[in-house]
Amino acid sequence: MTIIYKFKGDISSDALKELEKHSNISLDTEGSGLQIPHRDRLSLIQLSSGNNDAYIIQPSQQYQCPNIVKILENEKITKIGHYLRYDVLNLQYFLKCQVKNIWDSKICSKLVRTYSQNHGLKDLVQEFCGKKLDKRLGSSDWNKNLNELTDAQLQYCSNDVIYLHKIKDALHKMLVRENRLELYENCIQFLKTRIKLDQSGFTEDIFQH
Ligand code: MN
């Protein structure tokens, strides 16, 4: 069973102290849609230390989350996510911060799992954790009051963070084995620029002919 901690506004200072003990924290965000920031907004932030726990935070409309920002900006804590191109833009725009030290399982999967066409989180959870993720609740109204979210919805958004540590370990080993660690690191380096391009409206692939 996943231990779920719910927070309104920001994580508590006790939760911050607990999370700061870990060198890897997984993260995910839910928004009201995919058009961040012009149409849609950040609804929920999920964090996990990797010990089958999920911290689910519903920020206020003012987005004042100094404790979460401390984790995001901490160079010593690796933030693991899947398709961080979306989540980092979401967090940096609404929380007005810089997300430092990131690790992306989707980019990594595309570089090493060349035997597959499927690089969704669902596919990675299946392959490395032997679990079937139910993604049906993905299109939920995450802006409704945190206390009104159902157990199924809370479990759904926890599932997006609790498996990422294990996936990172497995994919990292594959990156080393396939000799693509440097290539991966260069891609992650470029992700910051990719996000700036998205934010400036250059959503197409600028390298394409
Ligand atoms: Mn999610």
Side-chain angles (χ1 to χ4, degrees):
M1 273 296 278
T2 313
I3 305 163
I4 296 175
Y5 306 99
K6 295 191 279 183
F7 296 93
K8 273 192 172 185
D10 195 0
I11 50 170
S12 64
S13 49
D14 283 345
L16 173 65
K17 258 184 235 155
E18 180 53 40
L19 285 168
E20 279 176 333
K21 291 178 190 159
H22 300 268
S23 54
N24 286 277
I25 290 175
S26 55
L27 74 83
D28 185 39
T29 61
E30 306 299 336
S32 54
L34 294 176
Q35 289 181 45
I36 299 281
H38 307 291
R39 191 194 66 183
D40 296 310
R41 62 184 180 92
L42 173 62
S43 309
L44 290 180
I45 303 166
Q46 306 102 275
L47 304 171
S48 175
S49 76
N51 296 327
N52 216 13
D53 51 20
Y55 295 70
I56 300 176
I57 307 103
Q58 183 165 61
S60 72
Q61 299 244 23
Q62 287 73 45
Y63 293 104
Q64 275 164 345
C65 316
N67 289 341
I68 294 174
V69 168
K70 271 183 197 146
I71 290 172
L72 298 179
E73 294 195 334
N74 189 334
E75 292 267 16
K76 290 184 186 131
I77 300 173
T78 304
K79 267 68 67 176
I80 313 168
H82 190 78
Y83 197 65
L84 286 171
R85 184 176 169 182
Y86 174 80
D87 303 293
V88 167
L89 172 61
N90 209 350
L91 290 165
Q92 291 190 159
Y93 180 84
F94 287 100
L95 270 49
K96 296 179 180 59
C97 66
Q98 287 299 310
V99 183
K100 294 185 181 142
N101 189 354
I102 55 175
W103 198 95
D104 191 308
S105 52
K106 187 156 190 146
I107 294 171
C108 192
S109 175
K110 285 184 177 175
L111 286 173
V112 294
R113 291 176 66 257
T114 45
Y115 50 84
S116 174
Q117 302 266 59
N118 304 318
H119 302 285
L121 180 64
K122 191 178 192 271
D123 307 299
L124 302 182
V125 169
Q126 169 100 64
E127 180 166 332
F128 299 114
C129 308
K131 296 251 162 61
K132 266 204 187 311
L133 273 197
D134 183 351
K135 294 298 279 183
R136 277 175 301 180
L137 283 170
S139 323
S140 286
D141 177 13
W142 301 113
N143 282 346
K144 69 179 178 186
N145 196 300
L146 186 62
N147 298 324
E148 290 169 15
L149 292 177
T150 63
D151 287 345
Q153 283 177 311
L154 293 171
Q155 187 62 50
Y156 170 87
C157 44
S158 304
N159 284 346
D160 281 351
V161 285
I162 58 174
Y163 299 111
L164 283 167
H165 295 73
K166 203 171 174 191
I167 290 169
K168 176 177 180 258
D169 289 345
L171 286 175
H172 180 81
K173 281 185 193 133
M174 291 169 81
L175 267 181
V176 174
R177 189 189 75 198
E178 301 304 324
N179 211 7
R180 292 197 180 129
L181 192 55
E182 197 186 342
L183 190 56
Y184 165 79
E185 279 165 0
N186 290 339
C187 292
I188 280 289
Q189 201 58 38
F190 180 72
L191 186 57
K192 287 174 204 147
T193 307
R194 181 59 270 179
I195 290 164
K196 279 187 194 151
L197 286 165
D198 284 341
Q199 225 169 343
S200 312
F202 295 98
T203 48
E204 77 278 19
D205 177 4
I206 50 152
F207 297 108
Q208 209 161 39
H209 178 60

